[in-house]
Amino acid sequence: MILTGVLLAVLGLGLVGWFAARGRARLLHTGRGSIHSMPGYHAWHVALWIVFPALIAWGAWQAIMPGLVDGAVMADPVAAQLPADAMSRAAILSEAKSIADNPDAVAFNPLANTLAGPVRDAHGRFGLIGALLVAIVAVAGGGWAFTRIRANFPARTRVERGVLGLLLVASLMAILTTFGIVASLVFEAGMFFKDVSPIDFLTGLHWSPGSARGDNLGDSFGAVPLFWGTIYIGAIIAMIVAIPLGLMSAIYLTQYATPTIRKWLKPMLEILAGIPTVVYGYFAALTVAPIFRDFAASLGMANPSTESALAAGVVMGVMIIPFVSSMADDALAAVPRAMSDGSLALGATKSETIKKVLLPAALPGIVAGVMLAISRAIGETMIVVMAAGAAANLSANPFASMTTVTYQIVQMLTGDQEFNSPKTLSAFALGLVLFIVTLILNIIALRVVKRFREAYE
């Protein structure tokens, strides 16, 4: 409630400052060339100086307020009843904060109910102090900007620089997020590799984290079966299905289909991309998997399993057909019409033109679509859970049950277990390997695209 009220108050002050600044700037505007910047720029200059310093001040206060609240609660006489153990004390304080936010919650420790009152009082007191601080900063910023309203003040330049800074910050968010993800993966994976040798992890053939005991942890964390399952299901079986069907559908839609047929078929094809993966998982488990099980039994296999890499890979391939088709469609449509017309004018047939002219020219876009499809496939989890199983098997038999890296990451990070155990930290090691593999694939794709683009140009 306090946060919402502060945000609304800051926006309200900004709106008031905007109208006040525009009104004052209009008094300075007596004709063409009489003022450096139009009144609207002066209005935005004042509004930005009201809103952004206030938001920065509120964010900084929110960062330090939990420590102030904890200090105020610990200074309360009731806090003397807290146990000396740090973990128990932290648990009771956390429970007291939950009750302070939700009075209807039930406390497991009676002392938490007693501390809820001091926590609520401290939180309210420091929240009001923060709101007052934000108001002071907003008024100070707006007042300073309001005194800058003069005929020769370059408000337009200042506003444009401010907007440019905001755009720069927005563009850096993706880069900073990537660095944060990598740093987190490297740090947690480093903790895992303190207990398990990277060589054993990357070359071991046995994956059984649940049986890890003693000093021989490397014997239970061999990730080769997971890597193989990921490649076999997502990059081999799924691509065998997705690449031919996606590419042929793109060729048909761009070169052979009439406008009416394309108008109906392309949206129907792209609907596949909007179907939730859990629906594909149900389809794989209840429809496709039994068909492949019966087919395996007809081939003479003993006790074939319903869970198989083939069922998961085929359905995964169907799921990513729109990615390949859409990228190939756009790449083929971007080829200059003069190239195909010239080929046809020289006597080539339509199929020869597609094979000799259009596909080589559109290859960079097609490769990009294939790489996007592979990245999508190796990151899929739900279909693997429901159709391929959880067994870490190292086998080339498509009818065998297998698992992938993504499924194991989910399994390691869910459930009631210690976060700093090797079993849990192995998820970060798997994630780091998956990140590196994806990065290498993207680098290779960029080099292929660059090579063929240079040859085409």
Side-chain angles (χ1 to χ4, degrees):
M1 292 297 292
I2 295 178
L3 176 61
T4 304
V6 169
L7 291 178
L8 291 177
V10 168
L11 294 177
L13 287 174
L15 186 63
V16 170
W18 191 92
F19 281 106
R22 189 181 65 165
R24 179 169 179 178
R26 280 180 172 179
L27 297 177
L28 301 175
H29 187 226
T30 58
R32 183 178 179 85
S34 62
I35 187 171
H36 180 278
S37 303
M38 296 299 291
Y41 285 105
H42 287 278
W44 281 112
H45 183 255
V46 172
L48 291 176
W49 269 100
I50 292 174
V51 173
F52 283 100
L55 293 179
I56 293 173
W58 180 250
W61 184 257
Q62 289 296 308
I64 65 175
M65 193 173 75
L68 297 176
V69 171
D70 290 344
V73 172
M74 295 303 297
D76 193 277
V78 180
Q81 305 176 32
L82 288 171
D85 181 58
M87 293 186 62
S88 300
R89 185 168 61 249
I92 295 174
L93 284 175
S94 177
E95 190 175 1
K97 292 177 182 178
S98 299
I99 297 174
D101 295 333
N102 182 17
D104 296 331
V106 179
F108 292 98
N109 193 308
L111 186 57
N113 277 325
T114 307
L115 285 173
V119 169
R120 191 180 300 110
D121 294 340
H123 195 275
R125 182 169 63 255
F126 287 111
L128 291 176
I129 294 175
L132 181 61
L133 175 64
V134 169
I136 294 173
V137 172
V139 172
W144 180 86
F146 200 78
T147 61
R148 303 293 97 187
I149 301 177
R150 295 190 297 267
N152 61 347
F153 181 72
R156 182 183 64 185
T157 304
R158 301 292 179 86
V159 171
E160 289 177 349
R161 287 178 181 175
V163 173
L164 181 61
L166 291 177
L167 295 176
L168 179 61
V169 171
S171 63
L172 290 176
M173 287 302 297
I175 300 175
L176 296 176
T177 301
T178 302
F179 278 120
I181 293 173
V182 174
S184 174
L185 288 175
V186 171
F187 177 76
E188 301 295 346
M191 295 181 62
F192 170 75
F193 288 129
K194 289 180 181 179
D195 299 323
V196 178
S197 169
I199 303 299
D200 294 338
F201 177 74
L202 295 174
T203 61
L205 304 180
H206 178 67
W207 179 264
S208 181
S211 61
R213 297 289 187 277
D215 298 330
N216 297 324
L217 294 177
D219 297 338
S220 302
F221 288 98
V224 171
L226 307 185
F227 301 149
W228 169 246
T230 302
I231 296 172
Y232 194 51
I233 295 174
I236 297 180
I237 299 177
M239 291 303 106
I240 290 175
V241 175
I243 293 177
L245 294 179
L247 185 56
M248 287 188 292
S249 64
I251 292 173
Y252 174 76
L253 289 174
T254 56
Q255 304 300 319
Y256 294 102
T258 63
T260 303
I261 294 177
R262 177 181 171 84
K263 177 182 177 181
W264 286 97
L265 287 185
K266 188 171 176 60
M268 292 174 63
L269 182 64
E270 292 180 347
I271 285 176
L272 293 175
I275 299 177
T277 56
V278 67
V279 176
Y280 281 109
Y282 278 122
F283 175 69
L286 301 179
T287 304
V288 178
I291 294 175
F292 286 131
R293 179 198 58 198
D294 297 339
F295 178 70
S298 67
L299 295 178
M301 293 186 60
N303 299 321
S305 174
T306 302
E307 298 175 337
S308 66
L310 185 60
V314 168
V315 176
M316 194 180 297
V318 173
M319 180 188 68
I320 59 180
I321 285 175
F323 293 92
V324 178
S325 177
S326 180
M327 294 293 291
D329 190 322
D330 295 339
L332 290 169
V335 176
R337 184 62 182 266
M339 296 184 65
S340 59
D341 290 344
S343 176
L344 294 172
L346 291 174
T349 64
K350 196 172 188 64
S351 61
E352 290 173 337
T353 300
I354 294 171
K355 183 171 61 175
K356 301 291 186 179
V357 177
L358 293 180
L359 288 180
L363 188 61
I366 295 173
V367 171
V370 171
M371 297 308 300
L372 177 63
I374 293 176
S375 299
R376 178 71 178 85
I378 64 177
E380 175 56 37
T381 304
M382 188 57 66
I383 295 176
V384 178
V385 173
M386 303 182 71
N393 293 324
L394 185 60
S395 172
N397 181 8
F399 298 102
S401 175
M402 293 185 187
T403 189
T404 62
V405 169
T406 52
Y407 172 69
Q408 290 299 319
I409 290 175
V410 174
Q411 190 178 46
M412 296 300 104
L413 293 178
T414 55
D416 187 13
Q417 50 194 338
E418 295 182 4
F419 187 80
N420 59 351
S421 66
K423 180 179 178 181
T424 304
L425 294 175
S426 65
F428 294 95
L430 293 173
L432 180 62
V433 173
L434 191 63
F435 174 81
I436 294 173
V437 170
T438 305
L439 180 63
I440 292 174
L441 289 175
N442 289 333
I443 293 174
I444 294 174
L446 290 175
R447 292 184 64 87
V448 171
V449 169
K450 181 179 178 181
R451 175 184 174 186
F452 281 93
R453 181 173 293 167
E454 289 176 349
Y456 167 63
E457 292 174 350

